[in-house]
Amino acid sequence: MRKKIVAANWKMNLGLNEGSTLVNDILKGLPKLDETRQVVIAPTYVHIGQTAAQLDGKDFISLGAQNCHTEVSGAYTGEVSAPILKSAGVKYVILGHSERREYCKETDAMVASKVNQALANDMKAIFCCGEPLAIRDAGTQNDYVGAQVQAGLFHLSAEQLKNVVIAYEPIWAIGTGRTASSAQAQDMHAHIRSVLSAQYGAAVADNMSILYGGSCKPSNAAELFGCPDVDGGLIGGAALKAEDFLGIIAAM
Ligand code: PEP
């Protein structure tokens, strides 16, 4: 049975003290979750050590990172590799986020190689995909997202895919306050699952968690997460306030 997951993407926000307070407040309010539910917190690299210590020993809330490098080690000033993240206790790595694809010019090939790095280091990849507004307006979002999934993941075996979580994040909904409707989210999640099913078979596709991301908040999370193919969310802005993040976790 696939897991329900709510993952926080802090992006480039919060100082160390603010991050520590936020994690403590989340831990105080978090109900005990069974093994079918998982919370992930992906702070900045600077917070990783501190957050690892705060989450130590808590199986149902895991440490995430927002990126990793395509190489294992070497002369890449300012970068962090998957083995380094693993050594710090990171369990999930967000990869292919639209902000990195846009601002850091990450290509499908780079994202695919980062996925390989995360998996080779026993971490799970949260693989992001999603279309810009022009593609949605043209009505070609299914082909666009299907091609991203193919380019980023289809080199993996079915066994490797067990360690991948997909996050569908329509770019027009990220940080804009404009959420996809539950029908739009369900349609795309079902499409992604059918693309996976065509390549890997229905059993593999049915086992994959597909998260929704894009202006998800406590007031819309229950409706989105109630869709049959929506298995939780990747949360940006609303993950920076304990009360909002806990409200979204409650909806899961
Ligand atoms: C994100 O960027 O992963 C995201 C979902 O952001 P927000 O929730 O702020 O739209």
Side-chain angles (χ1 to χ4, degrees):
M1 202 182 105
R2 58 186 187 250
K3 269 197 177 187
K4 300 266 183 204
I5 300 171
V6 166
N9 174 11
W10 285 8
K11 310 193 184 189
M12 196 171 70
N13 291 299
L14 307 177
L16 275 180
N17 286 344
E18 295 163 310
S20 164
T21 304
L22 176 56
V23 172
N24 278 337
D25 289 347
I26 291 166
L27 289 175
K28 266 186 238 152
L30 194 66
K32 180 133 181 42
L33 302 172
D34 64 28
E35 68 280 2
T36 66
R37 313 236 184 275
Q38 186 73 41
V39 175
V40 178
I41 296 183
T44 77
Y45 288 145
V46 172
H47 295 87
I48 293 259
Q50 167 180 284
T51 310
Q54 289 179 284
L55 302 186
D56 190 32
K58 297 174 181 67
D59 288 344
F60 51 92
I61 176 162
S62 295
L63 181 60
Q66 300 173 24
N67 182 35
C68 72
H69 199 261
T70 53
E71 300 296 329
V72 169
S73 64
Y76 299 98
T77 302
E79 296 291 341
V80 177
S81 71
I84 297 172
L85 294 176
K86 182 191 179 183
S87 76
V90 170
K91 306 283 187 229
Y92 288 78
V93 190
I94 299 170
L95 295 169
H97 192 284
S98 58
E99 287 153 14
R100 293 205 58 86
R101 290 180 192 260
E102 183 181 353
Y103 306 138
C104 307
K105 306 290 170 234
E106 285 194 6
T107 62
D108 285 332
M110 287 166 75
V111 177
S113 122
K114 290 176 180 213
V115 168
N116 293 344
Q117 285 292 333
L119 301 188
N121 287 282
D122 305 319
M123 296 180 291
K124 293 187 193 297
I126 301 180
F127 172 83
C128 300
C129 53
E131 80 286 357
L133 187 57
I135 295 288
R136 171 63 61 167
D137 286 344
T140 53
Q141 65 273 8
N142 283 6
D143 288 348
Y144 185 94
V145 172
Q148 283 183 319
V149 170
Q150 176 171 2
L153 298 179
F154 276 17
H155 63 287
L156 300 176
S157 67
E159 194 56 31
Q160 287 176 306
L161 210 62
K162 287 182 184 162
N163 289 316
V164 176
V165 174
I166 294 180
Y168 167 59
E169 301 203 307
I171 297 171
W172 45 271
I174 295 179
T176 58
R178 183 182 164 191
T179 318
S181 68
S182 52
Q184 287 172 320
Q186 169 55 28
D187 281 354
M188 180 57 82
H189 285 226
H191 173 65
I192 293 171
R193 212 177 292 288
S194 76
V195 165
L196 293 168
S197 180
Q199 179 72 8
Y200 292 98
V204 172
D206 280 349
N207 264 317
M208 288 208 60
S209 301
I210 307 178
L211 316 185
Y212 168 80
S215 299
C216 187
K217 34 190 188 278
S219 57
N220 59 28
E223 186 179 340
L224 286 161
F225 299 172
C227 298
D229 285 291
V230 178
D231 305 308
L234 178 55
I235 317 299
L240 299 174
K241 285 196 192 129
E243 194 186 341
D244 288 352
F245 192 55
L246 288 166
I248 293 170
I249 292 168
M252 159 177 79

